[in-house]
Amino acid sequence: MNSQNQKNEINRRKFLQNTALAAAGIYLGILGTPKLFGNVLMDKDAKGIPDVKLNNGLKMPILGFGTYGLSGEVCQKSVVEAISSGYRLIDTAKVYGNEVEVGKAIKQSGIDRKQLFVTSKLWVDDAGYENAKKGFEETLRKLQVDYLDLYLIHRPRGDVKGSWKAMEELYKAGKIKAIGISNFNPEQLADLLSYAEVKPAINQIETHAYFQQTNDYKVLKQGNIQMQAWAPFAEGRNGLFTNETLTQIAKKHNKTTAQVSLRWHFQRGIVAIPRSSQRAHILENLNIFDFKLDDTDMKAIEKLDLNRTQFPEWS
Ligand SMILES: NC(=O)c1ccc[n+]([C@@H]2O[C@H](COP(=O)([O-])OP(=O)(O)OC[C@H]3O[C@@H](n4cnc5c(N)ncnc54)[C@H](OP(=O)(O)O)[C@@H]3O)[C@@H](O)[C@H]2O)c1
């Protein structure tokens, strides 16, 4: 390399370093650290998606990719698209019937398994000690992985105690990095805590602007259990994407209603896992870390709470 090229190279590196520092400064200084369940850390490998630290010390991206309703080639393609766009957390479940495609996508992405955060869930048919162990092995086989980052009891049905014991053993054996629950209300959580040896790291529950789950939010925060939102857009039900309040806030920040929704979750310290089969949406949903909702925005969104599920068919 001649001296001019060397100078150019040094300048280029300085520029990149300064840009990275400026970005970190904006994030930590101007935007501030959001209210969180655990600690938010910047993860250099995950293209700017901050991590939360779970109650067992495991780091988890605060924004991930959901796969409910995605199947076959569309699923595989969408997950590959998501991983190549920068998502590292992928959320699937046995009952979605797409673990095979998610597994193929993980292989196809070429990303080191250790850089991904793979979640799956134990379905109600597999509740109970023996069945849970079998269900877990089937999930690993379908996903073509030898461990899960997170495994959840999908719904509080059947022999939850037996399922949890099986999951605790798998956790202690290092086959699962963190175990948690989904769709548990505070009473069901309290029951599980009465016998659990390992405290759940996560409760994944329906959460969006129309169902803000303020009580569960407090209970989980007090218990140091990370809240995770499923259906962060309520699947667009009840006109969420065209809601007037969200539209006004989106215009103010030159963002979309989807981005405002995800930013709202982020500022509450909630892990969100939006799903999309469209490249433009997959990218759009990642682009939420360069603006901040102010108190007026947060209060306006608070008023949208209908405090009831938008999925009554699943209750
Ligand atoms: N634990 C549980 O019981 C449970 C239950 C439900 C869901 N989940 C998990 O949570 C994830 C998310 O929930 P969800 O999939 O039900 O619903 P969601 O993420 O709230 O909404 C998905 C819908 O939003 C659309 N969308 C995504 N990004 C958009 C954007 N930027 N602009 C406009 N439309 C957009 C998608 O359409 P396009 O494809 O056209 O973008 C899709 O129709 C699931 O995929 C699953 O992993 C868990």
Side-chain angles (χ1 to χ4, degrees), residues 65-70 91-93 96 121 123 152-155 182-183 204-206 208 229-236 241 256-259 262 273-278 280-282 284-285 311 314:
F65 188 72
T67 64
Y68 167 71
L70 299 177
D91 181 271
T92 182
Y96 301 168
K121 312 182 194 85
W123 186 234
L152 306 175
I153 296 185
H154 205 145
R155 290 189 168 269
S182 178
N183 299 302
Q204 185 184 110
I205 54 177
E206 178 190 349
H208 42 75
W230 63 254
F233 305 134
E235 285 184 0
F241 290 120
T256 65
T257 51
Q259 289 168 326
L262 294 175
I273 42 172
R275 175 241 321 176
S276 176
S277 54
Q278 297 192 51
H281 288 166
I282 290 172
E284 179 182 322
N285 296 344
F311 300 85
W314 292 350

Side-chain angles (χ1 to χ4, degrees), residues 243-291:
N243 176 278
E244 209 180 305
T245 303
L246 296 177
T247 304
Q248 275 173 15
I249 296 171
K251 270 194 195 140
K252 175 172 144 187
H253 294 283
N254 202 16
K255 289 284 175 183
T256 65
T257 51
Q259 289 168 326
V260 167
S261 301
L262 294 175
R263 180 76 203 184
W264 173 77
H265 284 289
F266 172 63
Q267 287 186 209
R268 295 178 85 212
I270 298 173
V271 177
I273 42 172
R275 175 241 321 176
S276 176
S277 54
Q278 297 192 51
R279 183 177 154 75
H281 288 166
I282 290 172
L283 291 170
E284 179 182 322
N285 296 344
L286 269 183
N287 191 9
I288 63 158
F289 299 110
D290 60 351
F291 76 112

Side-chain angles (χ1 to χ4, degrees), residues 188-200:
Q188 290 158 336
L189 169 63
D191 185 50
L192 182 128
L193 289 175
S194 70
Y195 54 77
E197 281 177 28
V198 179
K199 189 173 167 174

